[in-house]
Amino acid sequence: MPASSVLARRFTIVVVSLASLALCCGLAWWQWERFSSASGTFQNLGYVLQWPLFGLFPAFMFWRIRKLRRQAAEQEAGSGEDHADVPAPRPEARPEAAVSTPTATPGPAPARDGEPDDELAAYNRYLAELNARDQAR
């Protein structure tokens, strides 16, 4: 990307961020005036505190995106290096007695294709009964 377009884009982002901050500070001032009036509520005071945060959000996002892009560029630059001269670490050898194998708890045995499943048959009968009741209505 040419340097002039990068500068123009950054300038535009800064202008939009500053305009957003100015607009939101103006809205915060308006809410402060509403809070100070006789009909003001604490909701207006809440908006007084929220509007400046909304105005700072575009600047925060610009900063955050730049930070993430810089980290991604550093990772890409770091992954391009040759690490062939450094051997991979070997796992520590453990005695076989110290290694524990997880034991599986036996669950209900699945029904075979040819064997009837009594519980499933009872459930299907119940569903058929419910369907028949709904159809009778």
Side-chain angles (χ1 to χ4, degrees), residues 15-100:
V15 167
V16 168
S17 296
L18 289 176
S20 170
L21 182 61
L23 176 70
C24 289
C25 285
L27 290 169
W29 178 260
W30 169 64
Q31 287 294 330
W32 178 256
E33 293 296 320
R34 294 279 314 258
F35 173 70
S36 300
S37 71
S39 65
T41 63
F42 283 105
Q43 182 178 10
N44 298 116
L45 182 61
Y47 287 136
V48 167
L49 301 174
Q50 285 180 349
W51 278 116
L53 294 176
F54 294 155
L56 289 172
F57 186 74
F60 168 75
M61 287 307 299
F62 177 64
W63 170 79
R64 180 75 175 146
I65 290 170
R66 285 190 64 192
K67 181 180 174 185
L68 290 175
R69 282 185 182 166
R70 189 176 303 127
Q71 286 177 351
E74 288 174 1
Q75 286 179 353
E76 286 178 9
S79 66
E81 296 175 2
D82 188 20
H83 297 289
D85 55 343
V86 179
R90 292 184 179 169
E92 294 180 19
R94 294 188 285 177
E96 291 299 320
V99 176
S100 65

